[in-house]
Amino acid sequence: MAFYYPNGQLFSQKNPREPSYKRETTFANRGMRFEEAINQSNEYYITHDKAVVHKKPTPLQIVKVDYPKRSAAVIREAYFRQPSTTDYNGVYRGYYLDFEAKETKNKTSFPLKNFHQHQITHMEQCLKQEAVCFVLLWFSSLNRCFFLSAEKMITYWQEQETGRKSIPLEIIESVGIEITPQIAPRIPYLTAVEQYLEKRS
Amino acid sequence: MAFYYPNGQLFSQKNPREPSYKRETTFANRGMRFEEAINQSNEYYITHDKAVVHKKPTPLQIVKVDYPKRSAAVIREAYFRQPSTTDYNGVYRGYYLDFEAKETKNKTSFPLKNFHQHQITHMEQCLKQEAVCFVLLWFSSLNRCFFLSAEKMITYWQEQETGRKSIPLEIIESVGIEITPQIAPRIPYLTAVEQYLEKRS
């Protein structure tokens, strides 16, 4: 398992007793690189007064805290909790932005198993409030990034009932908005948001 | 110190070795009751499709994680981190809402020491993006709650340079919007948001 501290530094720990863990570590690290690019883009946007978007902290259930004399409280027992929202939200020119960032090694389609029901439910709730809600999809093997509106994302999610397992790249190319990675901001997703807003209005 | 799990349950722990901690425990509990009322109001608003607002999880710096066989990962060492935003944000009828909820036992004024520079900075950044940004002030001894816009809040915050230590209740009564607690939602803050939006437009 690997974590990023909110300062962007990676914390990664492997468990020697649990060899099956290695795969998960790799996966987490892989996802983290894209996440880091998003976090840096958010920082760029805040610094340049373009938007205020933050990643939400991971929710933890705290069970035991120690208060050592003359030093900071130490959490000694806590567990990861299932978030009830997407990872990112914020404000851009009066618009409420809300999104999830996901990554795949696949080259031809984006697997729906990367998403969770709670994220879809949250997106549905946000859309009812006229949010600008979307997912950022990163094809790491292709080095290609796409903006896909929550409206479309929810449609494909629901098609799982009729057997859909993933969203083909051709569909994403045609209904999504491609975002070309840059130096700064690394993932200029506001450009895609602008295009989406133009189409929506 | 006391925490609320995201499910609303209180976790409270006192350290017998550190008697000075007791005051902090009391303070935390006091603040938590108001926070709980806000969280329940948010739940009400989501359930009734009125708004989608969540409290952000407390950011923690994770240092050590155990992976016991056949059970969930346990965080064995972590520390509280300073948040970089306010506690609450979300969306209401297309508007981005962002606020902080604070409480005082005082009866005649609201002490500015309840706020932190990072919260004010975040509010300033949000206002530049046309956010609906405010604080909810709870006078626990008076059982009175007020909406104060971030625009006003920032003004009083800056007056600390000329010696201001608190915002007198009379000022809050005149420039804020009073929110009368109810059964459900317990703190109907969207009513105040509506009044604020009417005035702003």
Side-chain angles (χ1 to χ4, degrees):
Chain A
M1 198 128 189
F3 309 94
Y4 265 87
Y5 297 129
N7 66 7
Q9 216 189 330
L10 179 68
F11 167 74
S12 176
Q13 176 159 328
K14 287 166 193 172
N15 183 358
R17 287 182 299 158
E18 190 131 36
S20 73
Y21 204 74
K22 220 190 157 186
R23 250 183 73 214
E24 203 175 339
T25 305
T26 314
F27 182 79
N29 283 336
R30 190 158 50 82
M32 284 298 171
R33 286 199 294 271
F34 182 50
E35 192 181 301
E36 194 191 0
I38 304 285
N39 292 345
Q40 290 180 3
S41 306
N42 290 342
E43 242 179 85
Y44 177 94
Y45 283 140
I46 290 180
T47 311
H48 292 75
D49 284 340
K50 296 286 186 194
V52 182
V53 174
H54 289 275
K55 184 175 192 295
K56 292 195 179 181
T58 307
L60 298 178
Q61 179 161 351
I62 297 167
V63 176
K64 186 165 175 278
V65 187
D66 277 356
Y67 304 101
K69 272 189 182 172
R70 277 179 289 279
S71 58
V74 191
I75 293 148
R76 287 296 180 198
E77 187 182 350
Y79 299 90
F80 293 99
R81 295 192 72 255
Q82 167 112 320
S84 48
T85 65
T86 49
D87 271 357
Y88 296 90
N89 75 354
V91 59
Y92 165 62
R93 296 202 300 110
Y95 294 102
Y96 171 82
L97 304 188
D98 194 295
F99 62 95
E100 191 65 36
K102 296 288 186 187
E103 180 168 356
T104 186
K105 267 185 179 168
N106 280 22
K107 293 177 182 177
T108 56
S109 69
F110 208 97
L112 287 166
K113 67 167 161 32
N114 283 289
F115 295 89
H116 301 284
Q117 184 57 52
H118 75 267
Q119 293 159 344
I120 304 294
T121 304
H122 176 71
M123 286 183 209
E124 286 169 342
Q125 290 169 341
C126 286
L127 286 181
K128 284 185 194 163
Q129 295 300 325
E130 300 159 49
V132 176
C133 205
F134 55 94
V135 293
L136 295 178
L137 305 177
W138 175 244
F139 287 90
S140 58
S141 308
L142 307 174
N143 242 2
R144 293 181 73 183
C145 181
F146 292 90
F147 168 108
L148 186 67
S149 72
E151 293 89 337
K152 305 278 183 192
M153 178 64 215
I154 291 165
T155 306
Y156 302 123
W157 178 262
Q158 287 165 345
E159 286 174 10
Q160 285 182 112
E161 285 174 23
T162 54
R164 180 182 286 289
K165 295 265 183 290
S166 66
I167 315 173
L169 177 59
E170 305 94 75
I171 290 188
I172 296 170
E173 285 176 323
S174 97
V175 305
I177 302 169
E178 184 152 11
I179 301 168
T180 311
Q182 294 176 168
I183 302 286
R186 286 175 65 187
I187 306 292
Y189 63 82
L190 287 183
T191 317
V193 168
E194 270 302 329
Q195 283 180 51
Y196 166 81
L197 285 169
E198 271 168 41
K199 253 189 262 175
R200 195 174 80 164
S201 67
Chain B
M1 200 130 189
F3 309 94
Y4 266 86
Y5 298 128
N7 67 8
Q9 215 189 331
L10 179 68
F11 168 73
S12 175
Q13 174 159 329
K14 287 167 192 171
N15 182 359
R17 288 182 300 158
E18 190 130 37
S20 74
Y21 204 75
K22 223 192 154 185
R23 251 182 72 214
E24 204 176 337
T25 305
T26 314
F27 180 83
N29 283 335
R30 190 157 51 80
M32 284 298 171
R33 285 198 295 270
F34 183 50
E35 193 182 299
E36 193 191 2
I38 304 285
N39 292 345
Q40 291 181 3
S41 306
N42 290 341
E43 241 179 85
Y44 176 93
Y45 284 140
I46 290 180
T47 310
H48 291 76
D49 284 339
K50 297 286 186 193
V52 181
V53 175
H54 289 275
K55 183 174 192 297
K56 291 196 180 181
T58 308
L60 299 177
Q61 179 161 351
I62 296 167
V63 176
K64 185 166 176 278
V65 187
D66 277 356
Y67 304 99
K69 272 191 182 170
R70 278 179 289 279
S71 57
V74 191
I75 293 146
R76 287 296 181 199
E77 188 183 351
Y79 299 90
F80 293 99
R81 296 192 71 256
Q82 168 112 321
S84 49
T85 65
T86 49
D87 272 356
Y88 297 90
N89 74 354
V91 59
Y92 165 62
R93 297 202 299 110
Y95 294 102
Y96 171 81
L97 304 187
D98 194 295
F99 62 95
E100 192 65 38
K102 297 286 187 187
E103 181 168 356
T104 187
K105 268 185 177 168
N106 280 22
K107 293 177 182 179
T108 55
S109 70
F110 207 98
L112 287 166
K113 67 167 161 36
N114 283 289
F115 294 90
H116 300 284
Q117 184 57 52
H118 75 266
Q119 293 158 345
I120 304 293
T121 303
H122 175 72
M123 287 183 210
E124 287 168 341
Q125 291 170 338
C126 287
L127 287 181
K128 283 184 195 164
Q129 295 300 326
E130 302 159 50
V132 176
C133 205
F134 55 93
V135 294
L136 295 179
L137 305 177
W138 175 243
F139 287 90
S140 58
S141 309
L142 307 174
N143 242 1
R144 292 180 74 183
C145 181
F146 293 89
F147 168 108
L148 186 68
S149 72
E151 293 89 337
K152 305 277 184 192
M153 178 66 216
I154 291 165
T155 306
Y156 302 123
W157 178 261
Q158 287 165 344
E159 286 174 11
Q160 284 182 111
E161 286 174 21
T162 55
R164 179 181 288 290
K165 294 265 184 289
S166 66
I167 315 172
L169 177 57
E170 305 94 74
I171 289 187
I172 296 170
E173 285 176 324
S174 97
V175 304
I177 302 169
E178 184 152 10
I179 301 169
T180 311
Q182 294 177 168
I183 302 285
R186 286 174 66 186
I187 306 293
Y189 63 81
L190 287 183
T191 317
V193 168
E194 269 302 329
Q195 282 180 52
Y196 166 82
L197 285 169
E198 272 168 41
K199 252 189 264 175
R200 196 175 79 165
S201 66

